[in-house]
Amino acid sequence: MSTLSGVAVSPGRARGPVARVAEAAGEPPRAPAPADRDAEAARIAPAAEAVAARLDALAAAAHGEAADILLTTAAMAKDPALAGEAERLVTAEGVPAPRAVFDAAAGFSRSLTAAGGYLAERVRDIQDVRDRIVAELLGVAPPGVPQLSTPSVLVARDLAPADTAGLDPATVLALVTEQGGPTSHTAILARALGIPAVVAVRGLLDLGAEALLVDGDAGTVEPADPRAPVVTASRRAAEWNGTGATADGHRVAILGNIGSVADARAAVSAGAHGAGLFRTEFCYLDAPAEPSVDEQRAAYAAVLEPFAGTPVVVRTLDAGADKPLPFLAPEPEPNPALGVRGLRVAYDRPEVLDRQLDAIAAAAADTGAVVSVMAPMVATAAEAAWFAERARAAGIGRAGVMIEVPAAALAAREILEVTDFVSVGTNDLAQYTFAADRQLGAVAALNDPGQPALLRLIALVGEAARAAGKPAGVCGEAAADPRLARVLVGLGMTSLSMNAAAIAPVGAALTATTLAECEAAARLALAGG
Ligand code: PEP
Ligand code: MG
């Protein structure tokens, strides 16, 4: 059997049995109407009971929060109101059972959303129960990440960031997807969790292997003997003395990219000098309603707490494209990556941004972290000025923006006149420079941030920062690559922010190189060498 190649996105090797992520069946059809409505309606309660029994069994085998969630979901599946309404739709309106369950759940979801608060947060659970009962009625596997009873290699066509964020590294040995790009948020989350991952593996879903050997460094996947013992081998940590400087003493802050309490702790224990990117939207990928200021304050404070006394750049919500937040959903758009995402969401709804800024300011005061804020998806200096003014009005002294749209790189000088710092998001900057969707495996090569065209844009940012005497960092995935990190420093970047696992290798690479060598590497890379 053959070895398949994809794009390596999270290092480490693992071998183990395959667990497939089943795909959602979609909206069940309304037709044909059942010939025997009573018999069709009678299928619903047993399907709901079977789902509840399976969830109860999984809860019994699970622990802690996972067990609680499973028990809550099982209780929802047992709720006679959902089955009762679905049965009514079958008998009164002749709707097929799977569609009746789908429609009944939609009614419940609407009522919960309207009730707001805690109840609105249960909408996702209702949808989960709905999908499980529909799958049971259709005789197919329930969609989503399966509950794993043994450590397994997770295989999927693609995985949403919300699903990836919930993966447990104790049971997910590795993650392999047929689609997906190297800088997609699924890849970023896999790296943060330390789960070896390979994406864009063509032919993966047709492989049919019971077990796989996954190499997250080489980007390969090969069938393995299902009887062989499970193995995991992570990359050995590089030796780094913790200094954020080149060999000749040129200072470069080595920072962590974080999105959760676990990330924050991992970054601090890896020796990060602070955090250069706190992706606040990662706290709310599943939230159906806008969290209150108090809820946000508590969530941010928990993440900031390990950074007391050190700098943290908190990015305001970057909703949209592959990170949709239900409570900030725009009107349907033909090209979401080019639509109302990031800071653009705030132009229509500035009160959401203001509430978040208030919560960030309060969390900073609670924890003693030295907090700055930064806006995503800024295209012009006017947008940057608008954001900085609101941040200062909320009492946050330092405000910057991300440079992740080519126009912003070209306007870096003007942007730095109205902000305190900038941070280059190479993931989006590459996507928009090369017109190549970062989520699409087929164009993964175009998203390589080492290409001269992208580096020339970063060089403009470096020159503008030097001229303004203000810091410019990189918080895209390029900063996590030790070879590129040198080039970025040579282009004038003053900080590099990355996932915890990359901190020691990047820090060590810099301490082994002089600034002159970094500049020479940058000149070579700009010329395509
Ligand atoms: C980026 O675009 O490089 C970035 C850091 O932001 P995100 O990956 O969250 O879009
Ligand atoms: Mg981005």
Side-chain angles (χ1 to χ4, degrees):
M1 283 203 257
S2 57
T3 299
L4 299 181
S5 291
V7 180
V9 294
S10 184
R13 277 160 62 86
R15 180 178 63 210
V18 164
R20 268 290 281 273
V21 177
E23 286 162 48
E27 279 195 25
R30 284 182 189 282
D36 181 344
R37 292 185 182 191
D38 289 339
E40 182 74 350
R43 295 171 59 216
I44 294 173
E49 276 157 29
V51 166
R54 215 166 298 130
L55 289 166
D56 276 335
L58 286 168
H63 304 282
E65 202 187 343
D68 293 344
I69 292 170
L70 288 163
L71 283 174
T72 310
T73 317
M76 282 189 165
K78 283 178 210 155
D79 185 345
L82 178 64
E85 172 59 10
E87 284 162 2
R88 191 194 66 74
L89 288 171
V90 178
T91 47
E93 298 178 24
V95 179
R99 180 70 201 204
V101 170
F102 192 87
D103 288 349
F108 280 85
S109 299
R110 274 192 297 276
S111 317
L112 290 173
T113 305
Y118 171 82
L119 287 176
E121 286 168 24
R122 303 278 68 79
V123 167
R124 190 65 205 89
D125 301 341
I126 280 278
Q127 289 167 347
D128 186 26
V129 165
R130 170 198 74 191
D131 291 344
R132 286 170 187 274
I133 301 176
V134 167
E136 181 72 23
L137 286 164
L138 294 173
V140 298
V145 176
Q147 298 290 329
L148 300 176
S149 47
T150 52
S152 309
V153 172
L154 209 56
V155 168
R157 184 176 301 281
D158 203 357
L159 211 55
D163 287 330
T164 315
L167 298 182
D168 178 0
T171 51
V172 179
L173 297 169
L175 170 64
V176 199
T177 63
E178 178 151 314
Q179 297 177 352
T183 56
S184 69
H185 289 94
T186 293
I188 289 168
L189 284 161
R191 268 193 291 277
L193 290 166
I195 297 174
V198 182
V199 302
V201 182
R202 277 211 199 151
L204 173 69
L205 298 181
D206 300 327
L207 198 57
E210 280 178 59
L212 287 176
L213 171 64
V214 180
D215 188 329
D217 294 282
T220 55
V221 177
E222 60 187 273
D225 181 350
R227 290 154 307 182
V230 160
V231 291
T232 45
S234 294
R235 216 164 38 174
R236 247 180 333 118
E239 292 290 325
W240 175 45
N241 62 13
T243 320
T246 57
D248 53 336
H250 173 72
R251 310 229 32 114
V252 181
I254 304 293
L255 307 170
N257 281 358
I258 57 175
S260 65
V261 174
D263 291 350
R265 291 193 184 133
V268 169
S269 31
H273 307 135
L277 171 63
F278 172 9
R279 289 182 167 99
T280 54
E281 66 281 358
F282 278 7
C283 301
Y284 300 114
L285 291 175
D286 254 346
E290 182 192 345
S292 69
V293 171
D294 284 346
E295 283 166 340
Q296 291 188 60
R297 174 182 182 165
Y300 303 151
V303 177
L304 294 177
E305 208 232 6
F307 291 101
T310 47
V312 178
V313 179
V314 181
R315 183 174 71 184
T316 53
L317 292 171
D318 186 16
D322 71 328
K323 290 179 291 190
L325 297 184
F327 62 91
L328 287 178
E331 295 296 312
E333 300 171 329
N335 293 304
L338 302 181
V340 182
R341 57 160 292 205
L343 185 64
R344 296 171 183 183
V345 173
Y347 303 139
D348 260 355
R349 302 179 58 188
E351 67 286 353
V352 176
L353 173 64
D354 290 343
R355 283 192 284 269
Q356 184 181 25
L357 290 169
D358 287 345
I360 294 168
D366 292 346
T367 56
V370 185
V371 165
S372 328
V373 284
M374 160 167 96
M377 270 302 274
V378 167
T380 67
E383 292 175 357
W386 182 84
F387 173 77
E389 214 169 279
R390 293 194 103 85
R392 292 188 187 117
I396 299 168
R398 269 185 100 247
V401 299
M402 294 202 61
I403 303 285
E404 49 186 355
V405 176
L410 295 166
R413 267 177 202 271
E414 291 83 353
I415 286 177
L416 278 159
E417 280 168 20
V418 293
T419 56
D420 300 303
F421 65 94
V422 291
S423 183
V424 181
T426 47
N427 310 333
D428 277 317
L429 191 58
Q431 153 164 270
Y432 296 125
T433 301
F434 299 107
D437 190 333
R438 62 192 273 191
Q439 298 181 73
L440 203 58
V443 292
L446 276 174
N447 275 304
D448 174 356
Q451 300 176 85
L454 188 79
L455 297 175
R456 287 176 202 165
L457 285 174
I458 300 175
L460 290 180
V461 180
E463 282 159 25
R466 214 173 286 138
K470 292 181 178 177
V474 174
C475 62
E477 294 303 294
D481 174 337
R483 189 188 56 84
L484 258 185
R486 294 191 184 113
V487 170
L488 296 171
V489 169
L491 293 175
M493 297 297 107
T494 55
S495 67
L496 299 173
S497 193
M498 64 209 79
N499 66 78
I503 286 174
V506 169
L510 285 187
T511 55
T513 326
T514 63
L515 178 59
E517 284 167 343
C518 291
E519 287 170 346
R523 276 194 298 276
L524 200 64
L526 282 173

